[in-house]
């Protein structure tokens, strides 16, 4: 089994690498280009189809070890298809969100069998939110791919330690395919993930997080801490924009990671800062998952305090940056 899993992960990496390369050929580049606008952090058109490569890598792994959690994978595939259409022609926000909710409902009803209305509704909204927040956070070179590598890698370790081998294999395949995509996405990025990649990855982060909790692989807080760098940035930014009565569904450049890039840390420096936070959260979650409740609470409090401190630090630097630039941010 271990030899087959190793072969599956190698296949995931190589297939994702090959498909990424094909998407950068002249024919592949014509599928969908992300053209710079006033809210972009890049200056040149870049293909936004990298999610296809990640999906191909995951599919290659599943072909060797079996498609565990078929409803979840089917829902993620449906989301990828709809998101690909959005990348190509654009879809109305209500349509996209309705599909996110339908995919989450399918997983909760058929994969997990939840029927209690309150719990069902909470998980439904949580999974739909993770699909969207991951998309919001996919705006800097190497960021979303790195979060997938660290986040699903932590899922894979925890699942394996708990004896949930199908879940561990799937999460390891997602992390490995994402690592192959990073070869082309780390700064300077030649390939973007696009909605076809970010939305299904966010969906899987939420859906597999609930699945692992329901099977006793980890506590309910585990997925939140593992993906805390994304969860905190997206949630705090949303709340800040709501307080300013801005149109939160519109694209913008106000996320903390975007401010880091704009203040001079650049894509590469921002990625390294975020990777450090991702690794720290993943390790803390893995170490605390089986500890007494008091230790778990202390770890969660410490992680929350550290992430809030980083957010405050970025806010203070941003305020100084705006004063120094005369209130005009680049």
């Amino acid at each position: 089994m271990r030899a087959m899993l190793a072969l599956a992960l190698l296949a995931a990496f190589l297939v994702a690498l090959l498909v990424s390369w094909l998407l950068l050929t002249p024919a592949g580049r014509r599928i969908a280009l992300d053209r710079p606008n006033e809210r972009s952090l890049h200056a040149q058109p870049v293909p936004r189809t990298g999610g296809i490569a990640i999906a191909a890598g995951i599919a290659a792994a599943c072909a060797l070890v079996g498609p565990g959690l078929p409803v979840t994978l089917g829902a993620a595939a449906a989301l990828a298809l709809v998101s690909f259409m959005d990348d190509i022609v654009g879809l109305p926000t209500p349509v996209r969100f309705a599909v996110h909710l339908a995919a989450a409902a399918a997983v909760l009803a058929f994969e997990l069998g939840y029927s209690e209305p309150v719990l069902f509704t909470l998980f439904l909204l949580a999974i739909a939110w993770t699909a969207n927040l991951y998309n919001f956070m996919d705006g800097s070179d190497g960021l979303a791919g790195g979060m997938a590598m660290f986040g699903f890698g932590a899922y894979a370790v925890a699942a394996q330690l708990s004896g949930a081998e199908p879940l561990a294999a799937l999460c390891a395949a997602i992390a490995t395919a994402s690592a192959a995509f990073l070869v082309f996405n780390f700064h300077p990025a030649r390939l973007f993930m696009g909605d076809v990649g970010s939305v299904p990855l966010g969906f899987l982060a939420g859906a597999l997080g609930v699945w692992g909790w329901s099977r006793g692989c980890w506590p309910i807080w585990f997925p939140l801490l593992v993906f805390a760098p994304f969860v905190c940035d997206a949630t705090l930014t949303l709340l800040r924009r709501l307080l300013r009565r801005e149109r939160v569904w519109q694209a913008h450049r106000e996320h903390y990671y975007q401010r880091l890039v704009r203040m001079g840390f650049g894509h590469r420096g921002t990625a390294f800062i975020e990777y450090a936070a991702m690794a720290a959260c993943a390790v803390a979650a893995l170490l605390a998952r089986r500890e007494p409740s008091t230790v778990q609470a202390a770890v969660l409090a410490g992680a929350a305090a550290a992430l809030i401190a980083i957010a405050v630090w970025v806010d203070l630097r941003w305020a100084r940056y705006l004063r120094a630039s005369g209130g005009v941010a680049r």
Side-chain angles (χ1 to χ4, degrees), residues 83 191 274:
S83 299
L191 183 65
E274 294 281 353

Side-chain angles (χ1 to χ4, degrees), residues 161-186:
L161 291 174
S162 301
E165 292 187 354
L167 177 61
L170 175 57
C171 292
I174 298 170
T176 304
S178 299
F181 163 73
L182 273 178
V183 173
F184 299 93
N185 181 246
F186 196 74

Side-chain angles (χ1 to χ4, degrees):
M1 180 61 187
R2 289 184 179 179
M4 182 59 70
L5 178 58
L7 182 62
L9 296 183
L10 179 62
F13 186 87
L14 293 177
V15 168
L17 200 68
L18 174 61
V19 174
S20 294
W21 177 79
L22 291 173
L23 291 169
L24 289 172
T25 62
R29 291 178 61 88
R30 287 197 291 267
I31 298 174
L33 280 177
D34 193 312
R35 301 187 183 278
N37 55 48
E38 67 278 4
R39 297 183 177 89
S40 302
L41 294 177
H42 62 288
Q44 301 295 328
V46 177
R48 54 180 177 184
T49 49
I52 297 173
I54 297 174
I58 297 169
C62 288
L64 291 173
V65 297
L69 292 83
V71 175
T72 299
L73 285 175
L79 278 179
L81 178 60
V82 171
S83 299
F84 181 62
M85 294 172 58
D86 189 41
D87 282 330
I88 300 294
V89 299
L91 295 175
T93 299
V95 172
R96 286 185 278 119
F97 193 62
V99 174
H100 300 168
L101 290 173
V107 170
L108 291 171
F110 298 105
E111 194 85 82
L112 296 169
Y114 283 119
S115 58
E116 201 281 315
V118 174
L119 196 62
F120 187 96
T121 302
L122 288 175
F123 284 146
L124 179 74
L125 295 176
I127 295 171
W129 170 232
T130 58
N132 282 274
L133 80 82
Y134 211 99
N135 186 31
F136 298 157
M137 294 295 293
D138 179 28
S140 179
D141 296 355
L143 195 63
M147 184 74 263
M149 186 174 64
F150 284 104
F152 288 102
Y155 275 12
V157 172
Q160 185 65 35
L161 291 174
S162 301
E165 292 187 354
L167 177 61
L170 175 57
C171 292
I174 298 170
T176 304
S178 299
F181 163 73
L182 273 178
V183 173
F184 299 93
N185 181 246
F186 196 74
H187 187 72
R190 291 174 284 165
L191 183 65
F192 288 168
M193 186 180 293
D195 288 7
V196 65
S198 61
V199 172
L201 283 177
F203 168 80
L204 287 170
L208 297 181
V210 173
W211 198 96
W213 168 74
S214 71
R215 297 303 190 273
C217 297
W218 47 66
I220 190 64
W221 55 262
F222 182 85
L224 291 173
L225 181 53
V226 166
F227 286 92
F230 268 28
V231 172
C232 289
D233 190 324
T235 303
L236 289 175
T237 302
L238 174 67
L239 293 175
R240 188 174 62 236
R241 298 191 73 214
L242 281 172
L243 290 174
R244 294 201 300 253
R245 298 184 180 180
E246 297 177 2
R247 297 180 178 181
V248 296
W249 57 88
Q250 291 185 341
H252 59 89
R253 297 200 301 173
E254 296 299 321
H255 283 287
Y256 287 94
Y257 77 88
Q258 291 171 321
R259 289 182 169 183
L260 283 172
V261 174
R262 296 168 69 190
M263 286 189 294
F265 288 88
H267 291 269
R268 189 180 295 267
T270 298
F272 286 137
I273 292 172
E274 294 281 353
Y275 289 174
M278 293 170 190
C281 288
V283 170
L286 286 169
L287 292 177
R289 52 184 275 275
R290 296 302 188 197
E291 294 297 321
S293 58
T294 53
V295 175
Q296 294 183 18
V299 169
L300 284 174
L307 290 170
I308 291 172
I310 293 172
V312 171
W313 172 72
V314 174
D315 283 335
L316 292 174
R317 285 188 64 101
W318 181 252
R320 290 198 298 269
Y321 170 74
L322 288 180
R323 287 196 299 270
S325 60
V328 180
R330 292 189 299 273

